[in-house]
Amino acid sequence: MSTSPSTPLSSDRSLVDYAKSLDCIHCGLCLRTCPTYQLTGVETSSPRGRIHLMRAVAEGRAKADADFAEEMDFCLLCRHCESACPAGVRFGEMMEHTRGALATARPHSLRTRFLRWLGFRVALPRRWVLSLAASIMRGAQSIGLWPAIARPFAPREAGLEHFPKVPRWSERRPLPRLTRASGAPAGAVAMLEGCVMPQLYGRVNRATAASLAALGFDVHVPAAQTCCGSLHAHNGDLEGARALAKRTIEAFGERLPLVVNSAGCGAHLRVLHHLFEASDPWHARARELAARVRDYTEVAAPRLSTLGPAPDSARGVLEGPLVYDDPCHLCHGQQIRAQPRALLDAACRAAGITRLELADSESCCGSAGIYSVLRPVDSKAVLEPKLESLRRSEARTLVTANPGCQLQWEQGIARAGLDVRVLHVAEVVARVVEHEVSAPAAVDPPAPP
Ligand code: SF4
Ligand code: SF4
């Protein structure tokens, strides 16, 4: 950060969502849930402390200086504090507001502004740029130039050497516009492919479409979709988030339920209308889309029982014991806890393995969007106790439901030298249903109903 520690940036009330900050009753029940408070033990690094800082700035009792900005940046936006809060404080919305206002008020360094522009405005909204970047990364990994080639773009401690190998193109190619149901008909859904997901975890998208088709859904994947803008909103680029929200609304205008297999994107899309003033015509359109958003597990879980008992061939398709780690934006952001467990229990029964509960599964893994890139030291420190819980569990498979968490766990497990496979819940389901029904048929469009 280029700002001098003593430079006051603003005492403007507009930096803070003051009305929401008044909901806090200072009870402190959120403190033990907060990963940054657990790291420092300092009140200002806790949810209550951050709200206190925000209020002090709004009331002119404190300056929004670099120390204030640092505490806002230190937060992972995991929203664990919201689950603990008896007063219903909407901390995530408050933090997005403050980060958005700070991004305007705070003069980032030229390098940071360039990297933000490159990431948020050039790469994330354009699939072909992301695809090109992934190809370059794969090429660099193959000829031993990785991580040297990425050093100028990431902090020294980013641990780039543990970054997973970028998959080959056949795994990164776009999904078919329509995958026809192969199981007993259950209707049609649209599916979000995401921005980074196809490049790093195309296999997860394929497992998502294939398992939904096996569970009876026609899966429509509009070609016009792009990044949903959640990374922009979390990191203070609200203008970029609004532009991508409009593109997403246009792309998914077919009124089908919108299935999302990335918890961070799903949590963002469910409150998409918050990006627009109520008087803005886009507000109503965003609210309509938000009401159609469904996490993958919500759609798949009720259908799994329709497949009947698993044949013996499903045994051995998973390595046990298996644990599930709740992505923050699924359990705290969308209050979804039971459905992934129901899916995994059914899959574990079919595969003949045991599912165990992971200690502190609802605490943040430290991924937090691009937090792990921007603040690798803090990100690794947040993951450390969870790695210890994983080691103690003696699990052989760890399951998540968010690409950022999947990446964070893969890198952490590689660093720790653990023999644990990381899978997305859709990959687990796909492995089991592939043994229940014949492979789903992928076909080119006709237009969706
Ligand atoms: S969002 Fe997470 S890191 Fe931020 S204050 Fe709340 S619990 Fe702490
Ligand atoms: S739990 Fe809620 S009300 Fe209590 S201190 Fe934390 S944010 Fe404030």
Side-chain angles (χ1 to χ4, degrees):
M1 187 187 306
S2 64
T3 317
S4 142
S6 59
T7 309
L9 296 170
S10 170
S11 58
D12 188 345
R13 184 178 276 210
S14 68
L15 284 173
V16 174
D17 193 334
Y18 187 63
K20 289 195 180 84
S21 77
L22 297 176
D23 292 338
C24 176
I25 55 173
H26 316 297
C27 65
L29 290 175
C30 53
L31 264 63
R32 65 182 172 76
T33 68
C34 177
T36 55
Y37 180 72
Q38 284 169 11
L39 286 183
T40 65
V42 174
E43 172 78 13
T44 49
S45 302
S46 76
R48 182 175 65 182
R50 290 187 174 109
I51 294 170
H52 183 80
L53 283 175
M54 289 176 185
R55 267 161 80 163
V57 165
E59 291 165 0
R61 293 182 286 109
K63 297 288 186 193
D65 57 11
D67 290 339
F68 173 81
E70 163 62 13
E71 281 304 346
M72 301 303 122
D73 284 345
F74 188 24
C75 169
L76 292 118
L77 247 176
C78 66
R79 297 172 63 185
H80 201 164
C81 45
E82 290 187 17
S83 289
C85 180
V89 170
R90 282 141 70 186
F91 187 86
E93 290 173 30
M94 289 171 58
M95 184 55 78
E96 284 190 1
H97 175 104
T98 295
R99 283 190 180 168
L102 278 174
T104 309
R106 178 174 44 170
H108 281 124
S109 68
L110 197 59
R111 178 178 179 275
T112 302
R113 270 183 284 162
F114 172 71
L115 290 177
R116 283 174 68 92
W117 170 80
L118 195 62
F120 290 148
R121 297 303 176 92
V122 177
L124 287 172
R126 293 176 181 82
R127 286 178 169 193
W128 70 266
V129 176
L130 290 170
S131 180
L132 179 66
S135 296
I136 292 170
M137 196 185 294
R138 182 174 163 81
Q141 287 175 329
S142 324
I143 58 173
L145 282 180
W146 183 269
I149 200 169
R151 287 263 180 257
F153 302 101
R156 197 162 37 88
E157 306 86 352
L160 294 166
E161 61 278 12
H162 294 298
F163 200 86
K165 190 142 176 51
V166 175
R168 62 168 67 91
W169 164 247
S170 58
E171 197 180 293
R172 292 188 278 123
R173 71 190 189 284
L175 288 174
R177 296 277 306 281
L178 172 63
T179 301
R180 287 271 187 219
S182 53
V189 295
M191 180 183 153
L192 183 81
E193 277 191 291
C195 49
V196 176
M197 184 77 119
Q199 305 308 327
L200 288 183
Y201 295 109
R203 67 175 194 269
V204 173
N205 274 349
R206 277 166 219 296
T208 302
S211 57
L212 287 172
L215 293 167
F217 296 97
D218 283 341
V219 183
H220 296 270
V221 182
Q225 63 175 299
T226 177
C227 171
C228 70
S230 70
L231 289 173
H232 301 68
H234 289 178
N235 292 283
D237 183 7
L238 296 181
E239 193 186 315
R242 283 187 201 101
L244 289 170
K246 291 176 184 175
R247 285 173 63 177
T248 303
I249 292 165
E250 297 281 11
F252 291 99
E254 296 293 344
R255 309 280 164 144
L256 296 173
L258 171 52
V259 178
V260 182
N261 61 6
S262 159
C265 303
H268 172 70
L269 289 170
R270 281 186 198 262
V271 291
L272 202 62
H273 46 292
H274 290 174
L275 287 172
F276 303 99
E277 298 289 342
S279 55
D280 188 328
W282 284 100
H283 182 96
R285 296 186 67 184
R287 186 183 280 279
E288 189 280 323
L289 181 87
R292 286 191 276 129
V293 172
R294 302 282 181 277
D295 184 68
Y296 166 81
T297 61
E298 287 182 287
V299 176
R303 293 289 302 169
L304 202 59
S305 60
T306 64
L307 291 175
D312 285 345
S313 57
R315 300 186 80 78
V317 296
L318 295 167
E319 240 186 306
L322 173 152
V323 290
Y324 172 63
D325 189 48
D326 293 85
C328 296
H329 285 90
L330 203 55
C331 64
H332 307 306
Q334 302 181 64
Q335 301 302 315
I336 292 175
R337 296 172 170 90
Q339 295 90 332
R341 287 176 169 79
L343 278 172
L344 293 172
D345 284 342
C348 286
R349 271 196 303 278
I353 63 166
T354 312
R355 182 179 72 80
L356 306 172
E357 283 294 340
L358 183 67
D360 294 326
S361 71
E362 290 196 14
S363 63
C364 184
C365 69
S367 166
I370 56 172
Y371 190 96
S372 57
V373 178
L374 299 177
R375 303 183 69 109
V377 175
D378 296 328
S379 168
K380 286 176 194 164
V382 169
L383 180 63
E384 204 51 46
K386 294 188 65 109
L387 276 171
E388 190 47 42
S389 297
L390 177 63
R391 185 182 283 114
R392 278 201 305 272
S393 75
E394 299 186 357
R396 300 299 301 276
T397 303
L398 178 133
V399 181
T400 181
N402 188 54
C405 307
Q406 194 157 358
L407 186 58
Q408 174 81 343
W409 274 111
E410 283 178 358
Q411 293 179 96
I413 285 168
R415 275 197 311 274
L418 300 181
D419 184 14
V420 180
R421 180 86 193 260
V422 183
L423 294 175
H424 188 283
V425 65
E427 293 180 280
V428 173
V429 176
R431 285 185 185 202
V432 174
V433 297
E434 273 173 13
H435 288 75
E436 304 261 17
V437 293
S438 56
V443 296
D444 280 322

